[in-house]
Amino acid sequence: MATKKSTITKDKIVSLYMNYVLEHNEKPKTVFHFSKQNAISETEFYNFFGTLESVEKEIFKMFYENTIQLIEKDKEYDSYDMRSKLLSFNFTFFELLTANRSYVLFALKEEKNQLKSLMQLSSLRSHYKEFVSGIISEDLLIKQEQIQNIQEKAMQESFWVQLLLTMKFWLDDTSPALEKTDIYIEKSINTAFELMNVAPLDSLIDFGKFLFKEKVYTK
């Protein structure tokens, strides 16, 4: 009896791509080569993606989407304030990255061109900024509408940079269960909110001590 061929989906191609990278310790050179190695047609690939690079972007977008799905399963999530929602997102997002650490390390650390490495995160960036915009607390915004728009964009960018810095810390984290990344997440987000409330000293000093300790004792 002939074996029924599995249906090709976007998720299937993403899974095949990640497996290829991990098994060969390199990215596929062409769509033709990738398709041949995985016994799919180029047409099946192009039904979902235009380039191999778009698959890489989709992977990080899927990490974002899966994070949102998981945090919204928490019945208490809607009642969280902005700080708690950011903490929930970050803790969950980095749990997913850790579950796929081998691929993420290869994707972001093996690429010598940092610009190309960041290009993989372009879709994640746009979605994360939308997420931040959707959870901004009204009490944090200045009442004038024009200033609010500027302030909202500044907050989107600042929390995106915070996420990037956390990713950089996570990439270099060698602690058991990557527990230092959890500490970094909590301290960096708490510090960000203290700065927004113009009462930064306690959290800023606490976060500074943590970073200083990491730099001194990990060299």
Side-chain angles (χ1 to χ4, degrees):
M1 180 182 291
T3 303
K4 185 177 180 180
K5 186 177 180 181
S6 61
T7 303
I8 299 300
T9 63
K10 179 183 287 188
D11 288 355
K12 179 66 174 178
I13 291 176
V14 165
S15 178
L16 290 173
Y17 185 90
M18 293 176 71
N19 287 337
Y20 180 97
V21 167
L22 293 173
E23 290 173 4
H24 295 83
N25 200 36
E26 65 177 7
K27 298 177 182 180
K29 298 294 190 295
T30 65
V31 172
F32 171 81
H33 179 69
F34 171 74
S35 300
K36 186 176 181 180
Q37 288 289 308
N38 290 286
I40 65 174
S41 69
E42 288 187 78
T43 299
E44 287 174 314
F45 177 91
Y46 286 120
N47 281 338
F48 299 99
F49 297 102
T51 63
L52 292 171
E53 288 74 18
S54 59
V55 181
E56 296 171 352
K57 293 178 183 179
E58 181 67 20
I59 291 169
F60 286 95
K61 176 188 167 188
M62 289 174 68
F63 288 146
Y64 168 85
E65 291 173 341
N66 290 338
T67 298
I68 294 296
Q69 289 176 8
L70 287 170
I71 63 178
E72 289 184 346
K73 286 182 179 179
D74 182 353
K75 295 179 180 179
E76 303 297 321
Y77 176 77
D78 286 338
S79 65
Y80 289 171
D81 59 15
M82 183 181 179
R83 185 196 311 235
S84 297
K85 286 180 177 178
L86 279 168
L87 285 169
S88 179
F89 180 96
N90 275 257
F91 285 134
T92 305
F93 180 73
F94 283 96
E95 284 179 8
L96 288 178
L97 291 193
T98 299
N100 297 275
R101 186 168 173 84
S102 293
Y103 174 81
V104 178
L105 285 175
F106 180 90
L108 298 182
K109 295 193 79 170
E110 295 300 316
E111 182 60 70
K112 295 180 181 180
N113 186 325
Q114 290 188 345
L115 181 59
K116 285 186 177 181
S117 181
L118 287 174
M119 284 298 293
Q120 297 180 67
L121 307 179
S122 60
S123 184
L124 169 64
R125 178 178 181 271
S126 61
H127 282 79
Y128 186 70
K129 288 173 66 177
E130 288 178 8
F131 167 73
V132 171
S133 178
I135 63 171
I136 292 176
S137 303
E138 287 295 324
D139 58 331
L140 291 174
L141 295 173
I142 298 171
K143 300 308 177 185
Q144 288 85 354
E145 185 175 349
Q146 288 182 330
I147 297 178
Q148 278 189 355
N149 292 335
I150 296 172
Q151 189 180 10
E152 183 175 329
K153 289 180 180 178
M155 291 173 72
Q156 287 178 319
E157 290 296 342
S158 64
F159 281 112
W160 168 245
V161 170
Q162 185 269 335
L163 186 68
L164 282 180
L165 292 174
T166 308
M167 291 179 75
K168 175 63 171 65
F169 189 93
W170 176 87
L171 288 169
D172 297 331
D173 190 0
T174 57
S175 62
L178 303 175
E179 57 192 19
K180 288 183 179 178
T181 295
D182 286 343
I183 298 172
Y184 183 98
I185 289 170
E186 185 168 6
K187 290 184 180 295
S188 62
I189 289 179
N190 285 341
T191 299
F193 276 87
E194 291 297 329
L195 287 169
M196 284 192 289
N197 290 327
V198 200
L201 284 181
D202 289 342
S203 290
L204 190 59
I205 291 172
D206 187 35
F207 187 41
K209 286 180 178 178
F210 171 73
L211 291 179
F212 178 76
K213 181 180 177 181
E214 286 304 301
K215 292 295 182 182
V216 170
Y217 291 105
T218 57
K219 287 184 178 179

